[in-house]
Amino acid sequence: MRPTEIITLGRTAVLHDGVELPSLSSQRRQLALLVFLAVEGPVSRGRLISTFWPDRDAEKARHSLAQALYALRQELGERSVIQEGDVLSVGPEISIDAAAMRNAIIAEDWQRVVEFYDGPFLAGFSLSGSPEFEEWAAGHRARYASDARRAFRQAIARYRSSGDTKAAAALASRWSDIEPSGAADEPEAEPEIPEAVPVGWNAVIDSLKTRHYFRILLLYLGAAWLAVQFFDILVDRNVLAPGFFPLVLYIVGLGFPVALLLAWLFERKAQRAQGATAPLRIKAAEIGYAIGAVALIALILVSVLDRLRPQDERDVFPATRIAVLYFDDHSDGDTLSYLAEALTEHLTHELAQISALDVLPRNAVKPYRETGTPSDVIAGELGVGTLVEGSVLGFADSVRISVQLIDARNMSHLTSAVIAGAGGDPFALLDDVGSEIARLLRTELGMEIQLREWRAGTESTAAWERVKRANAILADYEPLVMSGDTAAAGRTLDLADTLLARAEAADPNWPEPIVQRGWIAASRAALFSTPAEDNQSHWFQVGIEHAERALAIDSENARALELRGILRSRIALEAESEGESNRLLTEAEDDLRRATDLNIGLARAWSRLSRIQADRGQFAEAKLAAQRAFEADAFLRDAPVVLARLCEMSLQLQDWNEVTRWCELGRQRFPDDEFFAAVELSALAGPVGPEPDVDLAWDLVEQTLRLSPPGDRDDYLPALHMQAAAVIARAGLADSAVAVIDGARAADPRDDPELDYQEANARLIMGDVDEALRLLAEFLEAEPEYAQFLESDWWFDRLHDDPRFLTLVDGPN
């Protein structure tokens, strides 16, 4: 499809191959919808409906949205708007100048901001009947204008400092054309009071300027600030109990209106001293304005002080405390009430299996069924931090189930989903739908809990916002890697690391951004390292340095220990000597065990422990650690890695039922992950196990390569073909197996030692023990740390009593 460009800065238009589309520009609501999706990114249907059709009932609004989306796709192509579940976004072929300017603002590339900004955002564009869109557009218009003003000033100052006054003048002139109200190089003028302000207020302000009000008020505020700082230091150094600080804030807040009253009385006394008959200069109306201002300030102070109260005093409950409300039956005649009830109870049971969640039993929720009690009241009375609501709608041949996850603090929707199924046997939906909804809720709730943990970890709003933005940017990293666009993936890491560095600068005592920078270093190692560039260890060492900086702030930071332990174990694989490798693995294991002692919920730490134990041939222990990782991963943050480890350990233990169980679960949850097909291929390639199906083996090779990152496929192909050769050998086709082995060798430009290991298995299956031992010796010479693994590797059970094999794995006597 041809590229599409949306112009919103200075004018509003849609260009296709550089040609404006007047037909779309004339459809204001469709154009507004396209701009909104392009700027906001993925947006739920519910938000789009409330933004663009707030006055229509739900069915008509959904129909209007569907029509608008159909029209956009007809005009711009089917991939112009992409739908994933209940979430919509624009396709990658569509660009918008506002998003490009936003990225430049984030990167603080002011020259690019100047190039993008040609005028106000959606200048002169309005959408009647959509006040929320109007408010959204106005907010973005103000933000872009403010950032543009800053960018123009920076650029003009840079030109002037370099002596290029002509360029500076041209840029200032351009800004004057864009915003005639003032040149970019002029300082901000003091805001004037608009004429629309009532005369009474002007009188009050003029009067206050001549009196003691401001002096007394400033004196009070200065003294209050010093008092707050003084008591903050005393509380921080444990001289006073923490309860003193809120008490001081209350006193300061209550004293503010008292100070104003005393200032007024002092002024009145001063006036009377000038003459008993001298009239007061402030009129009764002006006194009314002043009293109103004092009342307003007092209300603001009460609100601020309420927010400063500890959370437990404001009845804020943890997000992990959940109530599943009974689903509504929206079918004709309430014919699906039994399904709504069964689904509610099934989902309650599914979520209750997650140890990290505190799910209220259905008996606690049942009294509120069909009472019409508002959800916020239910949440307060039950004392929960998260609500799950849903409904069931039946049609002639289908059932549609919708579910919403709601933050009980402000009753905002965290996520929603709609799942449809055949209506013939509704109860057959329970397992699939219940599991899918539970997976969705676990994932979304995990993100919400992570955000709350970060927010609680720092008092700096700027630091927290930057960490949140960095993680939003990193959400694009894996899809970019899988698409093969490593350059874009690298830019994603750069931008996220920049934001995390700024977060660290905003709060140097918060370890979280430092730990996350360590994980970015680990991602760089995987993304940029090649056999020709031995820089993996460099990036791993950078990550370890970040972990140690975090530990210098908090020596018992479990996530920093997890990071250091994982990266130490990765460096151990590249160590120059066996002694160095063993030392690093021991240190890594110590870090990981200490991390899991401090926080049992660190799935990645458990998973890496499993890997270390598997490499030592301790497969039963490795599988137990992998199961601990699966249990710890309550919110599915590391589920692909954990499930992969369970598949691998079940394979090494030759438990074919467990291999099937975990690999099927992995394929269901992560159909785009190549590892589960690779494990099935390994099961077929072993000397015993499932029936040697050659056609299935080649299918699995193709699946693994297709699902792998494009940049890794050439590296993976030789080893996968070698495993296919082993399956062919098991099927009794020795000549064909040898031909495939020769082809795999020819396709290996790296001379990868793993190929010796793979070929040794195929040769052993064909009965060539001497060649298998020779290849294993070559493998261990290049990778000596795998000797302990080979000693219990089921692929080579036939050699475990062979003295030559024992000499290989144990070394000479």
Side-chain angles (χ1 to χ4, degrees), residues 12 14 21-35 67-68 71-72 75 125-127:
T12 307
V14 179
L21 299 176
S23 58
L24 184 56
S25 299
S26 64
Q27 299 295 323
R28 301 183 73 82
R29 198 167 301 274
Q30 293 173 20
L31 178 56
L33 177 62
L34 182 64
V35 170
Q67 285 184 320
L72 285 174
E75 185 76 33
F125 186 92
S126 62
L127 194 64

Side-chain angles (χ1 to χ4, degrees), residues 94-219:
I94 293 181
S95 65
I96 183 168
D97 55 354
M101 178 175 166
R102 179 178 59 194
N103 292 334
I105 291 167
I106 293 173
E108 296 187 354
D109 188 344
W110 304 119
Q111 188 60 44
R112 287 185 62 212
V113 174
V114 167
E115 293 169 2
F116 281 120
Y117 193 76
D118 286 330
F121 177 73
L122 294 180
F125 186 92
S126 62
L127 194 64
S128 61
S130 300
E132 186 173 331
F133 175 81
E134 290 290 310
E135 183 179 350
W136 173 85
H140 279 68
R141 189 175 299 121
R143 283 194 291 275
Y144 282 124
S146 175
D147 287 320
R149 186 178 297 108
R150 181 182 177 190
F152 271 82
R153 285 187 179 141
Q154 295 276 356
I156 291 170
R158 185 164 59 251
Y159 281 133
R160 286 180 171 173
S161 63
S162 65
D164 193 348
T165 56
K166 184 176 180 180
L171 201 56
S173 175
R174 182 182 162 210
W175 175 255
S176 297
D177 292 338
I178 293 172
E179 287 203 13
S181 57
D185 56 335
E186 293 298 325
E188 291 280 356
E190 289 295 326
E192 298 178 359
I193 299 174
E195 294 180 1
V197 175
V199 175
W201 278 113
N202 289 335
V204 171
I205 292 170
D206 291 340
S207 178
L208 289 176
K209 287 180 180 178
T210 63
R211 300 175 181 279
H212 297 287
Y213 281 96
F214 281 165
R215 279 174 280 177
I216 295 176
L217 180 60
L218 290 174
L219 181 63

Side-chain angles (χ1 to χ4, degrees), residues 785-804:
E785 67 273 10
Y786 283 103
Q788 199 170 14
F789 169 81
L790 281 178
E791 194 172 1
S792 53
D793 186 356
W794 68 283
W795 270 10
F796 300 103
D797 276 348
R798 290 173 54 191
L799 297 177
H800 287 175
D801 294 329
D802 190 310
R804 294 171 295 175

Side-chain angles (χ1 to χ4, degrees), residues 327-346:
F327 279 41
D328 296 324
D329 176 16
H330 290 166
S331 62
D332 291 338
D334 294 336
T335 57
L336 294 178
S337 59
Y338 63 94
L339 179 59
E341 180 172 352
L343 184 60
T344 304
E345 295 175 0
H346 183 78

